Amino acid sequence: MADHKRKVSLTSISDEEQLPSLKITHGTAVALVKRPKTDEIQKYGSTALVQAGPKRTSGLQAPIMHLTGHKGEVTSCRFSDTGEHIASGSADKQVFLWNTYGECANYGVLQGHKGGILEVQWMPGSERVITASTDHTVAMWDAMTGERLRRGKHHTAPVNSCCPLSKSAGDDNMFVSASDDGQLVIWDARERNPAAVIEHSQPLTSVVAAVSGNVVYAGSLDNTITGWDVRTQSAVQTLRGHSGTVVGLAMSPKTGNYLASTSLDNTVRLWDLRPYCRLPNRCERVYTGAPHGYEMNLVRPAFDKDESMVASGGADRTLTIWNLRSGEVKYKLPGHKGCVTQVDFHPKEPIVLSGSVDKAMFLGEL
């Protein structure tokens, strides 16, 4: 572990002058729409009323913030549980840590992976981050110090996805990874070896855990989503309906009753996980309008905090947000210059985050 720790570094922007030998390009944020300054509306004795624009709905410095700095495609980006911070992973092998508010300062960089980052997730408590990489490993990091706490070496192929095992219970030690080698691996940060290994017949592209932490759902190259009981390591459910590879999964955060999936068949599906679901295949709704392209990127969906909206990126360079119940497109947000790979909703405010192959992210209030 000592050898691994020496390879890890987190540098604050304010400390850059103290570490001249460390060559890190920090990210920057640009406010694309300035906040109206109401105290400057009336000047030179004028009594005319000036419309300051739509009412603001969030604490962002501006309605839209543009975050840049990664040297490779942004493959994953997430809000912390508190909503105060953002972690972004990239093909440049780095994880950037950002402040959500103010100037959206890039306050830290996590380095140590030898391959691109395919997914980044916050553990419960917002003090630890886990990453999945093309270097066949997963890692857990201390987001406060930059120390790599755990490096998981078991997979024999790129690790496409990772997630906390029991987020609702506040467990910040247990997590899961899914790989092209067809394995789901359960990790305990306190142990050297995997806690459990589950074998699937096809490469796995995505994984998400049920609210209980007893079941994990994995999307696969065979167009299915399989639910696995982590206690018995047996398949307990198979969701069928997609006609293309499942490339992303998201669990509804409030109740855990619904699962969203993205697929190369150009659809996003909503699955009902409740025990007494009356739908024969459990697919409650199919959303369209977020197409995939020839790149066949891993595109991950998201639910908002109230489970009233579901969102996904697409190869059309936009972020699409649907009404969860009606399936109506509520927002179609442009701005990116390439496929949008990741979407995330703020846990407390009406703010949406998106990352893209154009190496940038947008923060925007709804």
Side-chain angles (χ1 to χ4, degrees):
M1 290 295 291
D3 290 339
H4 299 324
K5 293 176 184 177
R6 283 197 293 271
K7 298 178 183 179
V8 182
S9 59
L10 181 148
T11 305
S12 169
I13 292 178
S14 61
D15 295 334
E16 190 169 6
E17 294 181 357
Q18 302 174 22
L19 296 170
S21 62
L22 189 61
K23 296 181 180 179
I24 295 178
T25 301
H26 293 288
T28 58
V30 177
L32 300 185
V33 181
K34 296 293 185 181
R35 181 189 294 272
K37 297 184 179 298
T38 54
D39 57 338
E40 295 180 4
I41 289 178
Q42 294 188 4
K43 287 185 177 181
Y44 309 111
S46 171
T47 58
L49 290 176
V50 178
Q51 295 296 326
K55 183 179 179 181
R56 295 293 307 280
T57 61
S58 77
L60 291 177
Q61 185 186 71
I64 303 173
M65 300 293 291
H66 191 218
L67 282 60
T68 59
H70 278 295
K71 296 179 181 179
E73 301 175 359
V74 176
T75 55
S76 183
C77 51
R78 308 272 185 179
F79 287 110
S80 64
D81 289 350
T82 62
E84 296 291 328
H85 304 290
I86 296 167
S88 61
S90 169
D92 63 13
K93 309 175 186 178
Q94 300 181 109
V95 174
F96 281 12
L97 302 176
W98 312 75
N99 289 326
T100 303
Y101 299 106
E103 298 287 343
C104 297
N106 170 212
Y107 66 87
V109 181
L110 304 178
Q111 295 177 314
H113 276 296
K114 297 179 180 179
I117 310 297
L118 293 181
E119 184 157 28
V120 58
Q121 292 263 17
W122 290 88
M123 295 295 284
S126 300
E127 294 184 357
R128 293 180 175 184
V129 171
I130 54 175
T131 51
S133 172
T134 59
D135 64 9
H136 304 184
T137 70
V138 290
M140 175 181 281
W141 313 79
D142 187 320
M144 309 299 291
T145 66
E147 178 186 8
R148 183 164 58 192
L149 305 173
R150 179 77 165 83
R151 186 185 183 196
K153 298 176 66 177
H154 177 84
H155 290 291
T156 59
V159 185
N160 294 314
S161 185
C162 61
C163 72
L165 181 60
S166 187
K167 202 163 188 175
S168 62
D171 188 337
D172 64 352
N173 288 302
M174 303 291 292
F175 60 101
V176 192
S177 59
S179 166
D180 276 346
D181 61 15
Q183 293 185 336
L184 277 174
V185 180
I186 313 295
W187 302 91
D188 187 334
R190 299 161 293 192
E191 303 292 336
R192 180 180 180 85
N193 297 316
V197 178
I198 299 173
E199 298 279 352
H200 189 72
S201 60
Q202 296 288 328
L204 299 173
T205 59
S206 49
V207 65
V208 69
V211 171
S212 65
N214 295 328
V215 178
V216 293
Y217 293 88
S220 173
L221 210 66
D222 61 11
N223 307 345
T224 67
I225 303 164
T226 305
W228 300 86
D229 190 313
V230 299
R231 297 162 297 184
T232 63
Q233 299 175 35
S234 59
V236 294
Q237 194 173 67
T238 301
L239 304 176
R240 294 183 174 88
H242 282 297
S243 59
T245 300
V246 178
V247 293
L249 296 173
M251 184 66 62
S252 59
K254 189 175 181 180
T255 64
N257 289 336
Y258 297 98
L259 179 73
S261 60
T262 53
S263 168
L264 295 182
D265 64 10
N266 299 322
T267 67
V268 177
R269 289 178 179 255
L270 181 69
W271 307 88
D272 190 337
L273 302 179
R274 291 175 293 184
Y276 302 106
C277 174
R278 297 181 179 181
L279 300 170
N281 66 349
R282 292 187 174 271
C283 183
E284 182 167 310
R285 193 161 298 281
V286 179
Y287 308 99
T288 59
H292 286 260
Y294 66 90
E295 307 103 322
M296 295 186 288
N297 291 305
L298 296 176
V299 176
R300 310 184 196 279
F303 289 93
D304 74 320
K305 61 184 177 63
D306 298 321
E307 299 181 6
S308 63
M309 295 182 288
V310 63
S312 175
D316 60 356
R317 307 178 183 182
T318 67
L319 160 60
T320 307
I321 302 177
W322 297 270
N323 180 293
L324 185 136
R325 297 298 178 188
S326 69
E328 176 188 2
V329 174
K330 294 191 66 175
Y331 303 97
K332 189 77 170 174
L333 306 177
H336 282 292
K337 298 178 181 178
C339 176
V340 178
T341 55
Q342 174 80 67
V343 181
D344 198 22
F345 285 96
H346 193 278
K348 297 179 181 179
E349 292 196 284
I351 302 172
V352 66
L353 169 69
S354 62
S356 168
V357 300
D358 65 9
K359 308 176 185 179
M361 295 181 290
F362 278 107
L363 269 176
E365 62 182 34
L366 299 176

